[in-house]
Amino acid sequence: MVDVSQHELVPDHTVLDSDELEDVLAEYDIKKTDLPKIKRTDPALPDEAEVGDVIKVERDSRTTDRAVVYRLVIE
Amino acid sequence: MSGHAPKSIGSLSFGLMDPEEYRDMSATKVITADTYDDDGFPIDMGLMDPRLGVIDPGLECKTCGKHSGSCNGHFGHIELAAPVIHVGFSKLIRRLLRGTCRECSRLTLDENERQEFRDRLDRTRELGDDLNDVTKAAIRQARKKDYCPHCGAVQYDINHEKPTTYYEVKQVLSSEYPQRIAAAMEPDEEDDEPVSPHDLADETGIDAGRIQEILSGEFRPREEDRQAIEKALDVDLTEEDMDKLMPSDIRDWFEDIPDEDLEVLGIDPEKSRPEWMILTVLPVPPVTARPSITLDNGQRSEDDLTHKLVDIIRINQRFMENREAGAPQLIIEDLWELLQYHVTTFMDNEISGTPPARHRSGRPLKTLSQRLKGKEGRFRGSLSGKRVNFSARTVISPDPTLSLNEVGVPDRVAKEMTQTMNVTERNLEEARRYVRNGPEGHPGANYVRRPDNRRLKVTEKNCEELAEKVKPGWEVSRHLVDGDIVIFNRQPSLHRMSIMAHEVVVMPYKTFRLNTVVCPPYNADFDGDEMNMHALQNEEARAEARVLMRVQEQMLSPRFGENIIGAIQDHISATYLLTHTNPTFNETQALDLLRATSVDELPEPDGHEDDGTEYWTGRSIFSELLPDGLDLEFTSSADDTVVIEDGQHVEGTIDEDAVGAFGGEIVDTIAKQYDRTRARIFINEVGTLAIRTIMHFGFSIGIDDESIPPEAQEQVDEAIENAYARVEELIETYERGELESLPGRTVDETLEMKIMQTLGKARDSAGDIAEDHFDDDNPAVIMADSGARGSMLNLTQMAGAVGQQAVRGERINRGYENRTLSHYRQNDLSADAHGFVEHSYREGLEPKEFFFHAMGGREGLVDTAVRTSKSGYLQRRLINALSELETQYDGTVRDTSDTIVQFEFGEDGTSPVEVSSSMDEDAVDVEDITERILDEEFADETEKQQFLGTEKRPTNLSEHADDWWLAEGDD
Ligand SMILES: [Mg+2]
Ligand SMILES: [Zn+2]
Ligand SMILES: [Zn+2]
């Protein structure tokens, strides 16, 4: 099986730990469910990601160098 | 005001309405279908009962005592003789019938399943997803059950016949059961013994005599016996039977569904009991919602809803009479269905499968749902969009003397649109002057408002008198005058530059006038286009329009981040003429070219003629418009390098790539490196210089400009003949079966491709030959070269050959059997038989060529027509989907429920308009980084400002401040 997460065009997906998650939720003043979603079956997700986890996606950006996005893992 | 304190809406909740609530809010029960008596008075408890509200002025409402206009009307009600189904809920009714037990009405899911769906509902609610997906899944699960898990009753499938009929599909004993049993008792194969009735009796345990009776059809086997026989003989003795569920049955069924079961299905039983979907009471809308009109002849004409209600009441009465008279069940059922039909069409008269209820004239009635649905419906027609005051619409025409920020407004429009003037000590005289001019004189006034809020109309008669009365504290509605800001719009408003603010210039005649350089953002031309103007009505709106919406502020398009306003068409031809060969001009000529610009002094001359007269070159005249300090180097469309050093145009041709709309390099750079005001001045002056230039040179095109000398024509003919010969050769090779197919293509396809290729080359070489014979000063060549209008292809088609006509990307193949026209033999593969036009437009087309050309042209027309309607709908859906997304102050993009869509606007937080689009420049926002570092350096904003000092930007809010603005900057 091809592990797409190793492909150079697939941005880094990492699971946030609870402290980081709290910071993110506080920064944007939101509930976890207000985040954009990502399917558990998404091949870019790390293996340890579970439903309810929040994933940090870091992309390269032409304009800002690095663009960070958070996503909630759903079924 | 009438004493209504403003209130804000805390929340809205949607649910079904309890029939008791209908009765409670009803002003009266309606029992008679008649409306007015012989004297024209509304009948009590009729459809026009005065308790339902008033429409005639002067009458008093019997319910609230108010007069027409202030009484909103009151609902009444009709007690239905029998329950009927509410069409709007037919799908939900079907779902509940399928998911609940026919005996005990409980949801046919066991506790585990219920818990699962309850959890899924909670989760979906939290995620803000569609609850329907979960409830649908729950019903699907419940429907699978053959037996109720609570009472064990057998469950039947529910059949829904649209719109409002439901059947239970039961398996019952077939009427042919004796024959089926007999057939099953026959042996399967030749040598097998048939099953004797005795064997059957033994196997099933049924008495042998009973078996005989069953076989003769004298006795219908009971359920258990039937199953035993079916098992013994491996036969199906049943047939489907449709058992109609009457609305009353369904209502009884639903009444027994327990509250907790409804919660699993996402229904709040407090707000919506399912039995309320079966109507027993029908609310009667107030008369204010269905006013009757009195025609000229004194006859009353009733609203469609009233007609429908009359039908309902009539049938309702007939139903009751028939039932009391003990009419046969068949008649009762017919009447019931009729009542259902009328109630259904009262709510929606456009249901598929149901004939719409019609007016006597044959026109379908407009009932409740027709009032709401569609473009002209209540939502899209009356709430989201409605007719507005202070707006004007008329034809547009060009006026190159206007600034691009301005709009010429006809005086008769200016006299109709007004601006409110608050009279103070300081503008008292001015205000009086407006009023004195009256409503007919311009600039006059139409209304004044006294401090006691009395509004007085200014008339020709009272204006002198009224002018003296005007005091500070009054308001004067004065006419539009030069310099007022208005909003200008052209439909379809596809992007934000379709609505821009302009400054008014009042003009005679009847059209709106605009500078031709604003045609690209509006996508306007002057072949009869009309545009809308809106006069702004408060200071806040005017300030916003001036600062944010003025044309110059919209110069850069957010679509591609470059200017969308700039020189077009003749402007570009003109700058090309001025700079391509860099011609010279004497003093008079040079001054004439620049006379309409703000340049009033010529630079040092570029040289002297032999006789000593000074001359100036086109490039140095153009340079007069450039801001000082501008340095640029780029390639023009005419394919030379343009060099600008310190605001001096040194080299190259100024054409579309330099000053054009859609990313003209110089315009774009000035707008970004200087500011929008400078860019606006530049574009205006390029426009005026260009028009003077093109008038100086003269620029026209005639049929002889596309003529080529006879020897060139011979060459073209030869090129086409050669191509014909090669096509012929290809066809022969093909017919001999020797044509080799290209990879992935059939031989036929290969032949087509090769022919197309050959003919394409023929047209191109015809074009090249023609092109070689055109001079560089040929106007069509200038236009194509500079990018002003047209291309070399157009020129090729005019002078060389029009070339292959295509329908759906292929040579023309349709028409008659195996040929395109009856002028050709069948299966003729030659070029001319499939739409190759060998003539040029100048020569003129042969009839057959003309026909093929029309075929190709038709496809183009159809394509655009289809594309615009498709893309219009796509646009509407996209806008509806995105309309509630908003960039918040923290930079995130969220929808109305605060769900994050983007963590940073566009994932980089930058506006395409503010980012430099040229790739060689850094995409990184240096200023932002400096800002961040400075923020860290200094404790607070004041300290930072002390360090930095503030740079005052000149404010420029009007065309009328240009002199001052230019003095302020030292350009
Ligand atoms: Mg037009
Ligand atoms: Zn009333
Ligand atoms: Zn049951």
Side-chain angles (χ1 to χ4, degrees):
Chain A
M1 260 268 278
V2 180
D3 182 1
V4 293
S5 64
Q6 298 307 306
H7 194 280
E8 61 167 357
L9 290 180
V10 177
D12 280 346
H13 287 62
T14 46
V15 179
L16 284 190
D17 65 36
S18 56
D19 285 351
E20 290 169 315
L21 176 59
E22 240 169 68
D23 290 347
V24 170
L25 297 187
E27 182 185 346
Y28 294 106
D29 188 21
I30 47 168
K31 299 191 303 282
K32 211 160 68 167
T33 48
D34 292 335
L35 290 167
K37 317 290 186 296
I38 186 168
K39 282 252 169 82
R40 168 64 206 100
T41 48
D42 195 300
L45 280 186
D47 291 333
E48 69 268 24
E50 278 167 26
V51 173
D53 282 349
V54 172
I55 305 293
K56 182 185 194 181
V57 185
E58 290 170 89
R59 286 199 184 88
D60 292 334
S61 162
R62 187 170 74 86
T63 39
T64 52
D65 197 32
R66 223 171 48 106
V68 181
V69 164
Y70 303 95
R71 285 170 183 275
L72 173 68
V73 182
I74 56 165
E75 283 166 49
Chain B
M1 289 298 280
S2 49
H4 288 297
K7 287 169 185 149
S8 70
I9 298 170
S11 67
L12 287 176
S13 97
F14 292 92
L16 298 175
M17 218 154 132
D18 187 345
E20 276 313 311
E21 212 171 325
Y22 286 138
R23 293 190 181 102
D24 287 347
M25 74 175 192
S26 166
T28 177
K29 189 170 162 180
V30 180
I31 50 168
T32 160
D34 302 319
T35 48
Y36 298 96
D37 63 19
D38 297 337
D39 305 326
F41 287 110
I43 293 171
D44 249 22
M45 296 185 93
L47 278 170
M48 288 292 160
D49 190 300
R51 281 169 292 195
L52 299 179
V54 276
I55 33 173
D56 309 286
L59 289 182
E60 207 171 70
C61 171
K62 272 204 185 170
T63 303
C64 66
K66 288 186 206 159
H67 290 275
S68 86
S70 44
C71 162
N72 288 326
H74 314 275
F75 274 92
H77 78 280
I78 297 171
E79 287 288 346
L80 294 173
V84 289
I85 284 170
H86 188 309
V87 259
F89 296 106
S90 60
K91 288 232 173 76
L92 186 53
I93 292 172
R94 181 178 68 194
R95 272 205 243 165
L96 285 177
L97 287 175
R98 283 178 174 163
T100 52
C101 170
R102 63 188 303 273
E103 290 294 335
C104 69
S105 285
R106 298 204 57 190
L107 183 64
T108 55
L109 290 177
D110 60 37
E111 194 41 47
N112 288 338
E113 292 168 319
R114 281 156 188 259
Q115 194 52 48
E116 184 201 322
F117 284 111
R118 268 194 288 262
D119 291 348
R120 268 179 71 179
L121 268 181
D122 288 344
R123 226 173 309 137
T124 322
R125 253 190 215 116
E126 212 180 341
L127 291 174
D129 286 344
D130 193 1
L131 293 183
N132 256 327
D133 296 340
V134 184
T135 54
K136 265 189 199 149
I139 293 295
R140 224 176 297 129
Q141 179 91 355
R143 200 183 165 190
K144 283 186 199 147
K145 303 280 165 67
D146 290 331
Y147 297 94
C148 171
H150 309 286
C151 71
V154 193
Q155 301 299 309
Y156 299 115
D157 205 14
I158 300 291
N159 217 334
H160 179 194
E161 197 175 277
K162 277 176 184 158
T164 49
T165 326
Y166 300 89
Y167 296 98
E168 264 188 323
V169 186
K170 285 182 177 166
Q171 297 299 121
V172 295
L173 185 69
S174 164
S175 52
E176 301 168 344
Y177 67 92
Q179 290 91 326
R180 288 205 196 170
I181 298 173
M185 285 163 72
E186 287 302 308
D188 294 343
E189 275 157 51
E190 288 286 316
D191 16 294
D192 275 4
E193 285 282 305
V195 185
S196 72
H198 266 287
D199 302 338
L200 192 58
D202 286 347
E203 204 166 326
T204 55
I206 304 171
D207 182 66
R210 191 35 67 78
I211 291 282
Q212 286 299 351
E213 280 173 24
I214 289 171
L215 275 171
S216 63
E218 285 161 32
F219 185 81
R220 293 172 62 85
R222 274 196 301 269
E223 185 77 20
E224 315 88 74
D225 292 353
R226 190 198 87 210
Q227 281 172 7
I229 298 171
E230 280 180 339
K231 202 174 162 215
L233 293 172
D234 191 22
V235 69
D236 184 12
L237 297 179
T238 59
E239 63 180 10
E240 276 189 0
D241 183 50
M242 304 270 268
D243 201 358
K244 187 176 169 191
L245 288 168
M246 299 311 281
S248 49
D249 303 334
I250 300 175
R251 205 181 143 86
D252 293 343
W253 180 329
F254 284 178
E255 270 172 0
D256 292 337
I257 301 178
D259 284 358
E260 63 268 25
D261 289 18
L262 289 171
E263 274 159 22
V264 182
L265 296 173
I267 299 170
D268 180 354
E270 287 293 305
K271 286 185 195 122
S272 323
R273 280 296 312 178
E275 62 267 23
W276 299 343
M277 294 188 289
I278 320 293
L279 300 170
T280 52
V281 185
L282 189 74
V284 175
V287 283
T288 44
R290 44 184 179 89
S292 54
I293 338 163
T294 317
L295 299 174
D296 294 335
N297 57 17
Q299 246 190 337
R300 275 183 187 272
S301 173
E302 295 299 335
D303 190 272
D304 282 3
L305 279 187
T306 311
H307 283 299
K308 204 66 240 180
L309 286 165
V310 168
D311 292 341
I312 293 173
I313 295 172
R314 291 232 171 93
I315 295 299
N316 206 37
Q317 277 171 340
R318 256 174 67 196
F319 188 99
M320 282 190 283
E321 286 159 12
N322 273 281
R323 193 169 48 191
E324 272 157 34
Q329 184 63 19
L330 220 61
I331 291 182
I332 295 285
E333 268 180 38
D334 275 358
L335 284 173
W336 201 341
E337 235 158 72
L338 206 54
L339 182 65
Q340 175 75 61
Y341 169 78
H342 283 305
V343 174
T344 302
T345 48
F346 171 68
M347 293 187 266
D348 186 351
N349 202 16
E350 276 171 1
I351 299 176
S352 58
T354 316
R358 288 174 194 278
H359 201 256
R360 264 194 301 273
S361 62
R363 167 182 67 83
L365 293 173
K366 262 190 116 181
T367 51
L368 285 177
S369 128
Q370 277 63 54
R371 285 190 178 194
L372 310 178
K373 268 185 198 157
K375 204 167 192 172
E376 260 96 64
R378 207 75 334 137
F379 296 110
R380 281 176 72 187
S382 324
L383 292 163
S384 304
K386 28 182 180 252
R387 291 168 174 268
V388 287
N389 288 328
F390 301 103
S391 67
R393 178 184 175 95
T394 182
V395 173
I396 52 166
S397 42
D399 185 342
T401 63
L402 288 175
S403 162
L404 57 87
N405 271 335
E406 290 175 325
V407 59
V409 177
D411 46 11
R412 53 202 92 195
V413 170
K415 281 188 255 176
E416 205 70 48
M417 313 275 97
T418 56
Q419 301 269 295
T420 311
M421 217 179 139
N422 293 304
V423 183
T424 63
E425 299 284 349
R426 292 169 54 165
N427 64 11
L428 182 60
E429 257 327 294
E430 199 190 338
R432 284 185 172 162
R433 199 169 58 242
Y434 286 122
V435 177
R436 207 172 298 127
N437 279 340
E440 301 289 326
H442 185 270
N446 292 348
Y447 285 95
V448 292
R449 190 193 285 277
R450 297 195 312 217
D452 63 1
N453 268 331
R454 266 293 291 244
R455 213 160 79 111
L456 305 172
K457 190 165 173 56
V458 183
T459 61
E460 282 304 289
K461 279 191 188 135
N462 72 2
C463 59
E464 297 279 345
E465 208 180 319
L466 207 54
E468 298 316 308
K469 289 188 191 153
V470 173
K471 302 248 151 41
W474 286 43
E475 277 174 15
V476 171
S477 297
R478 50 146 254 247
H479 294 163
L480 281 186
V481 295
D482 289 5
D484 278 336
I485 194 98
V486 292
I487 280 173
F488 205 44
N489 159 238
R490 180 181 176 275
Q491 278 107 352
S493 315
L494 295 178
H495 57 189
R496 73 179 191 206
M497 289 85 73
S498 290
I499 305 179
M500 293 189 288
H502 289 250
E503 279 184 42
V504 169
V505 178
V506 180
M507 291 182 158
Y509 311 121
K510 292 181 176 175
T511 58
F512 285 132
R513 250 59 56 82
L514 42 94
N515 190 321
T516 47
V517 297
V518 292
C519 289
Y522 289 120
N523 190 21
D525 49 38
F526 303 106
D527 61 2
D529 290 24
E530 292 181 48
M531 285 181 72
N532 308 320
M533 191 200 85
H534 299 266
L536 296 167
Q537 291 304 307
N538 61 56
E539 289 302 338
E540 189 185 7
R542 285 190 278 260
E544 276 197 22
R546 233 173 237 288
V547 175
L548 301 171
M549 292 181 69
R550 226 150 35 116
V551 178
Q552 66 173 61
E553 310 301 334
Q554 299 296 323
M555 191 142 46
L556 300 176
S557 165
R559 186 170 84 215
F560 47 90
E562 292 178 358
N563 63 302
I564 191 173
I565 292 168
I568 52 166
Q569 309 210 345
D570 273 5
H571 301 142
I572 294 170
S573 298
T575 53
Y576 180 95
L577 291 172
L578 188 67
T579 56
H580 186 58
T581 52
N582 203 19
T584 59
F585 303 91
N586 67 30
E587 186 183 14
T588 322
Q589 291 169 329
L591 283 170
D592 186 50
L593 293 184
L594 290 168
R595 65 190 274 179
T597 68
S598 62
V599 179
D600 43 19
E601 223 172 304
L602 286 175
E604 286 299 302
D606 289 299
H608 297 266
E609 302 283 358
D610 296 339
D611 61 1
T613 49
E614 299 168 321
Y615 68 79
W616 286 262
T617 64
R619 289 178 186 165
S620 51
I621 291 173
F622 178 76
S623 300
E624 286 304 292
L625 309 184
L626 294 170
D628 297 337
L630 181 71
D631 292 299
L632 262 181
E633 198 177 318
F634 59 91
T635 313
S636 68
S637 348
D639 216 28
D640 51 17
T641 309
V642 181
V643 179
I644 290 167
E645 280 167 8
D646 190 22
Q648 286 299 307
H649 175 211
V650 186
E651 209 184 305
T653 308
I654 300 299
D655 56 22
E656 200 200 8
D657 282 355
V659 290
F662 305 108
E665 204 66 44
I666 302 178
V667 180
D668 190 45
T669 312
I670 294 178
K672 282 169 183 162
Q673 279 180 17
Y674 294 75
D675 55 48
R676 307 290 148 82
T677 307
R678 189 65 188 85
R680 180 203 88 216
I681 292 171
F682 178 72
I683 298 168
N684 277 337
E685 299 206 325
V686 166
T688 48
L689 170 67
I691 279 156
R692 283 282 151 192
T693 309
I694 208 158
M695 287 199 289
H696 170 88
F697 287 103
F699 195 79
S700 64
I701 189 168
I703 196 159
D704 262 349
D705 290 313
E706 283 71 49
S707 299
I708 49 171
E711 64 269 22
Q713 188 60 54
E714 266 165 42
Q715 286 175 35
V716 169
D717 293 345
E718 199 186 310
I720 287 170
E721 245 157 67
N722 286 341
Y724 273 25
R726 254 168 295 151
V727 169
E728 217 41 58
E729 237 168 80
L730 280 168
I731 294 170
E732 276 165 30
T733 331
Y734 167 77
E735 278 167 355
R736 282 199 306 273
E738 289 169 14
L739 191 73
E740 268 190 50
S741 59
L742 292 166
R745 307 265 169 190
T746 64
V747 187
D748 289 17
E749 284 169 351
T750 310
L751 177 70
E752 277 300 306
M753 280 180 67
K754 290 204 162 155
I755 292 176
M756 289 272 271
Q757 232 169 34
T758 315
L759 294 174
K761 269 188 213 147
R763 188 193 62 190
D764 290 346
S765 58
D768 291 342
I769 296 162
E771 208 183 313
D772 288 341
H773 289 86
F774 287 129
D775 298 332
D776 285 341
D777 63 354
N778 180 301
V781 173
I782 290 180
M783 289 195 288
D785 223 27
S786 62
R789 197 77 224 234
S791 61
M792 273 305 166
L793 175 71
N794 295 142
L795 213 51
T796 299
Q797 291 191 316
M798 286 193 283
V802 174
Q804 183 65 53
Q805 298 302 305
V807 170
R808 298 176 142 238
E810 289 169 359
R811 291 159 82 204
I812 289 169
N813 280 321
R814 47 186 72 199
Y816 298 82
E817 250 174 70
N818 302 319
R819 51 182 168 175
T820 50
L821 284 173
S822 51
H823 304 71
Y824 302 103
R825 294 178 186 289
Q826 293 205 345
N827 300 311
D828 183 353
L829 287 168
S830 68
D832 57 338
H834 287 273
F836 183 76
V837 180
E838 60 169 87
H839 291 102
S840 64
Y841 284 128
R842 202 200 96 258
E843 291 170 286
L845 273 56
E846 297 285 329
K848 287 177 278 179
E849 291 179 329
F850 190 91
F851 186 78
F852 290 133
H853 184 253
M855 286 178 78
R858 158 83 62 92
E859 192 190 29
L861 290 184
V862 170
D863 262 20
T864 27
V866 170
R867 235 196 341 263
T868 41
S869 66
K870 284 257 159 68
S871 71
Y873 182 48
L874 207 66
Q875 167 109 358
R876 191 182 133 68
R877 289 179 5 174
L878 199 58
I879 285 175
N880 283 339
L882 298 179
S883 63
E884 55 187 37
L885 304 189
E886 186 179 23
T887 311
Q888 309 293 322
Y889 282 106
D890 68 355
T892 57
V893 179
R894 304 187 189 205
D895 69 8
T896 40
S897 59
D898 257 3
T899 308
I900 293 190
V901 176
Q902 286 180 336
F903 286 88
E904 187 91 52
F905 168 76
E907 301 228 310
D908 57 13
T910 48
S911 156
V913 166
E914 303 298 331
V915 174
S916 174
S917 49
S918 46
M919 287 302 280
D920 43 296
E921 250 177 275
D922 234 347
V924 177
D925 190 349
V926 180
E927 261 177 68
D928 183 61
I929 296 168
T930 338
E931 190 76 9
R932 254 185 291 159
I933 293 170
L934 283 170
D935 278 342
E936 279 168 33
E937 278 312 304
F938 297 100
D940 58 32
E941 198 64 18
T942 43
E943 214 174 297
K944 184 173 123 194
Q945 287 308 326
Q946 272 170 6
F947 174 79
L948 288 172
T950 42
E951 186 193 353
K952 247 199 272 163
R953 265 176 60 106
T955 39
N956 176 64
L957 292 178
S958 169
E959 291 291 325
H960 299 267
D962 276 0
D963 294 337
W964 173 84
W965 188 89
L966 285 170
E968 200 78 352
D970 9 71
D971 165 41

